[in-house]
Every structure is written in structure tokens, then in C-alpha cells.
Amino acid sequence: MSACPKKCISMDEDNEGFKYPFVNMDLCVNCGLCEKVCPIINTQTNGKNIPDTAYVVRNNDPEIVKKSTSGGAVTAFCEEILSQNGIIFGGAFDKDFNVCHSSAETVQELSKFRSSKYVQSDLGNTFSEVKKSLDSGRIVMFSGTPCQVEGLKNFLRKPYDNLFTVDFVCRAVPSPYVWKKYREYMESKFDSKIIYANFREKTYGYHSANLTLRFANGKKSIENTNTDYMLKSFFDGICSRPSCYDCKFRKETRVSDLTVFDCWDITRYVKDLEDDDKGYTAVIIQSHKGAEMLKKVSDKLTVYPADVNLLFHKDGHMAFQNPQCHKDRKLYFEMLNSGITIDKAVKKTIPVKTSRKIFGKFRGILYKTGVLKLLKKLK
């Protein structure tokens, strides 16, 4: 869509809420540019087999770590770009809590990029905006899923020294339509508008992160991956984009400069370090620019070398392993499209276990008494 010189391609939603390109053949001049930039037809490679350098890192600012999905590494990269009068492009919530790519030019704006958003981000005109900034000479940082980064690189059609890219190991991208249905259900249940959403808030620590919603009437919802209707839909593989079940971008080597993902067990890579349940970020160096970036921000991060293969195969296995598509995916979407609320669709297709519901209700007490920490150690 972004590459079309005649602007004859639109991105239209299907009944699952995913956007696909539609070509107005009355305007098309058959220039073929859309095919030339397509990342599926023209898959890129960085020329390496497996990256040879990896680290586990954490931001030295505890407040940034607390508000980040894992260790707050990406914030440090963003700050470095901004210090050079650069501009950042990444996924964020808009005013209605839709997930879209937007830009930031100040440190204060970076907070909108923190924390994972388990929804496919709408790129809109981001690629064109990135190109405009690059051509003006500004340093640009783009972060996104592997397919988004590779799509951007193909769209640009030439390398830019002033472009820095970060991709994350992606399980899949859930449907924006499901996220919308979920928000509608929760706002009806709590009889109030959502004013805050966080898919990975560390209320009970990094290893027990939850989806937290706050409402205008002062109420809040705190649920985990086993009890929240949105999170359970995502992790049970019932609401992701169909192409994610056979992703063409799952590979150790990426065209980005850095690849980041969760480090779930720091003690596996740093033997004498105790896991304090606050989170660390795994960082894979994919290019010389990536290596240079890590050096530049070394004063903002605590950095530990890690074995690339171990890091990938233990904590980053979704880099090359596709998720399974749930057998009742079709029924799930048929129910939502017929007007059935998400709670009933989940109960029919991926019901929440009673034991999980009970554990979820008492999780706060278990956390405050220290029992939850003990259970994590035993696990």
C-alpha cells in the first residue's frame, strides 16, 4: 500500500479484524512495484547463519524496569537515538486503546511504547513517514515485529545508514477485532470507560505479569494469562492472524540490527545471580550497528554475556517455532461475529479451569504473604 505510486491499494478488514491489501484495478497501471517490495515474494537475509553474540541486560533505572515488559533495554536504545535529534517509530495505544504505530521525539513520549501490546499494530502511513524522515537526514529508529521490520526494509528499497531497527521475538499477532470485543465486554461489565491498559504489568512480579485495566469510575481489573479472556485467547492460539501459524519470518537471523525478547531465567545464563523477579531483556546482535548501539548505552544498562544458542532455544524458541492453531478457531470467530460476547466465546471454546479461577482470586494474598514467591522457586 505504501509503495503504490497511484495510491490504488487500500488495506481492508476482513470479518476477523485483520487488514489485507485490496487493489483498485481501475487505477492500477501494472507497474509491479507492490510485488517488488512484498516481503513474502522477496524475503531478505543478513547473510549470516546464526548470530554469534548475545546478552542479557537490564536498565539501570528501576522505574523504567518496573514499567517495561522485561528489562527496559529498548528504552535505552530510544534515548540514545533521541540524544542525536532522532525520531522513534513503534507500537502504542491511541486515545481509544487501538494499537497503532506512532512516533516520538522526546523522552517523555517514550512511555507509550513500553509494555507489550498483544494486538496487531496498524502501521497506517508509518513506512512513508519513516522514509520522509530518513531522506531529510534524521536518524530513525523503528521497532516492530519481524515481518514489519522486513516489510519496511523492502519498502525503502535501499540501505540507510541513519536507520536503526529493532525487532522482537513474536509469538503471533492477535486480532484487533477481538481486542475491541474484549474492551466492549469489560467496559460493560465495569460500567465505565477504560482509561489505562497494560498487557504485562508486574503487579505480582515479572513471572506473574497480568493484564491490568483501570476504569474511569475508579475500578480496576487484574487478570493473568489463564483467567483473562483476551490473554487466554492469545496464548491458546485461537485469535491470531492466520499467517502467524506458518510465519515466513521465524528465523534466528533477522534483517534488523537487534532482536529482543524475554529472558525468563537469568540464572541459566549468569550462574551466581539470583532472580529478583523484576525482569531482564535478551538481546541478540544482528549487525554492526546493533553492536555499536549496545556499546553506546552501556552506561545505562547492566549487561551480561550469554550463549546465543542457549538463549534462543530456551527463552527465544518462538523465533523459529510456530504456534499451534486452535481447533475451534473458526467457531470462536463465528460466535463473536454473531454478536456473542467474548466471555461466552471463551467459555465455549477455551474454558477457564476452575482451579485457575480460584488461584487467580487469591493471587494477591499469596503475593503479599510471600507464598507466591516460594511457589515460583519450587517451579
Side-chain angles (χ1 to χ4, degrees):
M1 182 199 76
S2 297
C4 179
K6 293 298 181 180
K7 306 300 179 188
C8 66
I9 302 177
S10 60
M11 298 298 290
D12 298 347
E13 277 189 19
D14 67 356
N15 63 355
E16 295 182 349
F18 295 110
K19 290 186 176 182
Y20 294 88
F22 173 79
V23 183
N24 183 340
M25 296 308 296
D26 292 334
L27 299 177
C28 179
V29 295
N30 294 310
C31 69
L33 188 55
C34 56
E35 293 184 348
K36 290 178 182 177
V37 302
C38 175
I40 294 293
I41 298 174
N42 308 285
T43 304
Q44 291 195 33
T45 176
N46 65 6
K48 296 191 298 182
N49 293 320
I50 298 176
D52 55 12
T53 311
Y55 300 92
V56 175
V57 310
R58 175 186 283 178
N59 201 297
N60 292 330
D61 186 333
E63 279 303 306
I64 290 176
V65 175
K66 183 179 179 181
K67 295 174 182 177
S68 300
T69 298
S70 45
V74 176
T75 295
F77 307 148
C78 290
E79 289 175 345
E80 174 60 27
I81 297 295
L82 293 179
S83 72
Q84 301 175 57
N85 193 35
I87 182 169
I88 314 294
F89 292 89
F93 290 124
D94 68 8
K95 61 181 180 61
D96 297 315
F97 291 95
N98 300 304
V99 181
C100 311
H101 258 63
S102 65
S103 62
E105 299 184 60
T106 67
V107 172
Q108 290 72 29
E109 292 178 283
L110 294 180
S111 60
K112 65 183 177 182
F113 298 139
R114 290 194 194 110
S115 185
S116 298
K117 285 92 178 168
Y118 294 142
V119 185
Q120 181 167 23
S121 174
D122 189 342
L123 285 165
N125 295 315
T126 298
F127 284 3
S128 297
E129 292 172 14
V130 168
K131 187 177 188 303
K132 184 179 178 181
S133 296
L134 289 170
D135 288 339
S136 72
R138 295 190 72 178
I139 296 175
V140 175
M141 174 174 160
F142 177 90
S143 66
T145 58
C147 55
Q148 287 175 334
V149 174
E150 195 154 330
L152 173 64
K153 290 288 188 80
N154 276 29
F155 163 76
L156 293 172
R157 301 180 69 198
K158 69 174 185 178
Y160 282 84
D161 290 337
N162 51 329
L163 174 64
F164 184 77
T165 55
V166 178
D167 78 82
F168 49 84
V169 169
C170 173
R171 183 184 185 90
V173 287
S175 162
Y177 173 67
V178 172
W179 172 232
K180 179 184 178 183
K181 296 286 285 186
Y182 170 83
R183 298 196 316 270
E184 289 174 351
Y185 167 76
M186 294 299 284
E187 288 185 340
S188 175
K189 178 181 178 180
F190 285 85
D191 193 27
S192 184
K193 284 286 185 181
I194 295 170
I195 59 171
Y196 171 87
N198 190 328
F199 279 84
R200 290 280 298 274
E201 191 165 77
K202 300 173 182 176
T203 308
Y204 306 120
Y206 171 65
H207 293 283
S208 298
N210 47 260
L211 198 164
T212 298
L213 299 176
R214 295 196 181 100
F215 300 86
N217 60 7
K219 295 180 180 180
K220 66 179 178 179
S221 169
I222 301 176
E223 297 290 345
N224 61 40
T225 54
N226 296 301
T227 60
D228 182 83
Y229 297 134
M230 182 68 203
L231 291 182
K232 186 164 176 58
S233 295
F234 171 44
F235 285 103
D236 280 25
I238 207 166
C239 72
S240 298
R241 191 177 180 96
S243 58
C244 293
Y245 303 115
D246 184 27
C247 178
K248 306 303 180 185
F249 305 92
R250 292 193 195 279
K251 48 195 175 185
E252 290 98 330
T253 56
R254 310 289 176 89
V255 299
S256 61
D257 298 301
L258 292 174
T259 296
V260 298
F261 52 95
D262 283 294
C263 175
W264 292 110
D265 187 0
I266 185 64
T267 61
R268 184 181 284 135
Y269 315 102
V270 188
K271 301 300 182 183
D272 57 347
L273 193 66
E274 184 177 350
D275 189 350
D276 58 7
D277 203 19
K278 293 180 180 178
Y280 287 88
T281 304
V283 179
I284 307 294
I285 307 296
Q286 299 282 7
S287 73
H288 177 70
K289 273 197 278 188
E292 287 300 306
M293 171 60 80
L294 202 61
K295 288 180 182 177
K296 289 178 180 178
V297 300
S298 59
D299 61 325
K300 294 182 178 181
L301 302 174
T302 299
V303 180
Y304 301 98
D307 180 86
V308 174
N309 285 304
L310 185 63
L311 199 56
F312 260 135
H313 287 85
K314 292 297 182 181
D315 290 336
H317 62 276
M318 295 307 297
F320 43 83
Q321 179 179 314
N322 284 317
Q324 294 296 308
C325 180
H326 196 278
K327 62 181 179 63
D328 289 326
R329 186 182 184 280
K330 182 179 178 182
L331 173 61
Y332 175 89
F333 276 103
E334 286 177 347
M335 292 180 72
L336 292 181
N337 284 316
S338 70
I340 293 173
T341 53
I342 192 171
D343 61 318
K344 292 178 181 177
V346 167
K347 288 174 184 176
K348 177 68 176 178
T349 56
I350 47 171
V352 179
K353 293 180 180 179
T354 302
S355 60
R356 294 295 186 181
K357 291 180 181 178
I358 295 172
F359 180 79
K361 285 184 177 293
F362 291 99
R363 197 162 54 128
I365 296 173
L366 295 174
Y367 176 74
K368 290 177 181 178
T369 57
V371 175
L372 189 60
K373 185 177 181 180
L374 179 61
L375 289 173
K376 289 176 186 175
K377 283 188 175 182
L378 291 173
K379 184 181 178 181

